[in-house]
Amino acid sequence: MRRSAVLLSASLLTLPGCAGSVDGAGPAGSSASDGSSAATVSPEVATAVDAGVVSYREYVLEQARQTREASAVFTDAVRAGELEAARAAYAPSRVGWERIEPVAGLVEELDGKLDARVDDFEGVEDPDFTGWHRLEFLLFERGTTEGGAPLADQLDADLATLERELAEVDITALDVATGATELVEEVSRGKITGEEDRYAHTDLWDFAANIEGAVAAVERLRPALEAQDPQLLADVEAGLAEVQAGLGPYALPEGGYASYETLTEQDRRRLSAQLAALAEDLSRVPGALGLE
């Protein structure tokens, strides 16, 4: 995925569902919170960022809708007792969520219900352990759909609530800027180890979706960064292209990705290094565009 970087706006958003201001952001050219001097951005750059944020918000809502619909295929199979169909639908049901995970996480009460792993609970039988990974354990570790219907019902309900609440969430330019970095860091610091989908081993699906989400944020704010810091844009584009190329050999002809267990140690190390470098480049974007 050869694209660009995520940014910020010194101007304020006043559109319905968008933030009236960027939390912690001062005027362009002001000192950043770490004492460094933020770059000065022109009105044209600020306007380009604002337009990108509006477009990104539309993308978020579309991904939330797609997640709800894809998950319905998954949960229908669980309720029907169709084990293999449910297993096949598990990874695709998560793609939209993984693309927008940092923004979806702004609905805090749902983040843990939908996507928490067993590590956050007393064990797999903890009644608070719900969502995708609870069903993943049932389907892939225990090899059954028995007892999954209530969990499937709750997943459907929680995703419907997420879609409604995201429509009311304020998304700032800073959310877009940091979200791309967070998506890459999440892969670099966690998913690259295979810890996310430890029963299904579908981590590469999540990995790819996280990168796709970073690309989506970057694309919408590309004009601003191109005007403000073309070299940083080139660095981010090169990093995204490297990561995509690294995933390419694991892509399946029918769509999706091979099991995480097929990832070689050499490729894991290489991808980890590439992701760390990409995250570092993305972390420079807010300063380059005048955001604290």
Side-chain angles (χ1 to χ4, degrees):
M1 302 172 198
R2 186 171 174 78
R3 311 285 201 277
S4 44
V6 154
L7 338 143
L8 50 294
S9 168
S11 62
L12 305 182
L13 295 176
T14 57
L15 294 174
C18 294
S21 65
V22 176
D23 292 343
S30 63
S31 295
S33 59
D34 63 359
S36 62
S37 178
T40 298
V41 299
S42 68
E44 291 77 15
V45 169
T47 298
V49 171
D50 286 346
V53 173
V54 173
S55 176
Y56 183 74
R57 183 172 185 275
E58 294 171 352
Y59 171 79
V60 167
L61 297 180
E62 174 61 17
Q63 293 303 309
R65 182 189 66 79
Q66 290 184 17
T67 301
R68 175 179 53 78
E69 293 178 351
S71 289
V73 175
F74 171 56
T75 54
D76 282 350
V78 172
R79 282 185 288 263
E82 299 172 354
L83 178 61
E84 292 308 315
R87 285 175 166 177
Y90 168 74
S93 77
R94 293 173 48 76
V95 169
W97 164 271
E98 293 291 343
R99 287 172 177 160
I100 61 169
E101 193 168 2
V103 172
L106 295 175
V107 186
E108 295 181 9
E109 69 274 16
L110 291 177
D111 189 18
K113 294 175 68 176
L114 287 165
D115 198 39
R117 298 188 296 272
V118 68
D119 312 71
D120 300 315
F121 304 96
E122 293 183 1
V124 293
E125 301 302 334
D126 188 327
D128 291 330
F129 181 30
T130 62
W132 276 296
H133 294 303
R134 178 65 180 86
L135 282 164
E136 179 201 1
F137 173 80
L138 187 70
L139 298 171
F140 292 90
E141 186 71 5
R142 290 194 170 161
T144 183
T145 60
E146 187 175 351
L151 293 164
D153 292 344
Q154 182 172 347
L155 182 61
D156 285 345
D158 288 341
L159 286 172
T161 301
L162 177 70
E163 186 177 10
R164 290 193 303 270
E165 295 199 12
L166 278 176
E168 304 300 323
V169 166
D170 291 335
I171 300 176
T172 69
L174 185 58
D175 291 328
V176 183
T178 59
T181 306
E182 289 171 12
L183 284 165
V184 172
E185 287 180 340
E186 180 157 335
V187 179
S188 177
R189 296 177 180 177
K191 290 191 174 87
I192 193 66
T193 67
E195 68 178 23
E196 179 81 5
D197 299 298
R198 63 192 65 176
Y199 312 115
H201 305 300
T202 54
D203 305 83
L204 295 181
W205 285 73
D206 290 3
F207 187 163
N210 284 155
I211 301 305
E212 289 166 4
V215 166
V218 164
E219 281 189 323
R220 284 159 174 79
L221 295 170
R222 187 181 196 280
L225 190 59
E226 189 170 34
Q228 189 72 10
D229 193 335
Q231 183 57 58
L232 180 55
L233 172 63
D235 292 343
V236 172
E237 286 182 332
L240 288 166
E242 277 190 330
V243 172
Q244 185 183 36
L247 281 174
Y250 298 94
L252 299 174
E254 64 271 23
Y257 289 84
S259 169
Y260 176 83
E261 295 179 311
T262 66
L263 185 67
T264 68
E265 180 63 18
Q266 180 180 5
D267 281 351
R268 188 191 67 77
R269 290 179 178 176
R270 177 176 47 76
L271 284 166
S272 184
Q274 291 170 350
L275 287 160
L278 175 58
E280 177 64 24
D281 286 337
L282 285 170
S283 74
R284 294 163 48 206
V285 171
L289 290 172
L291 249 187
E292 292 184 358

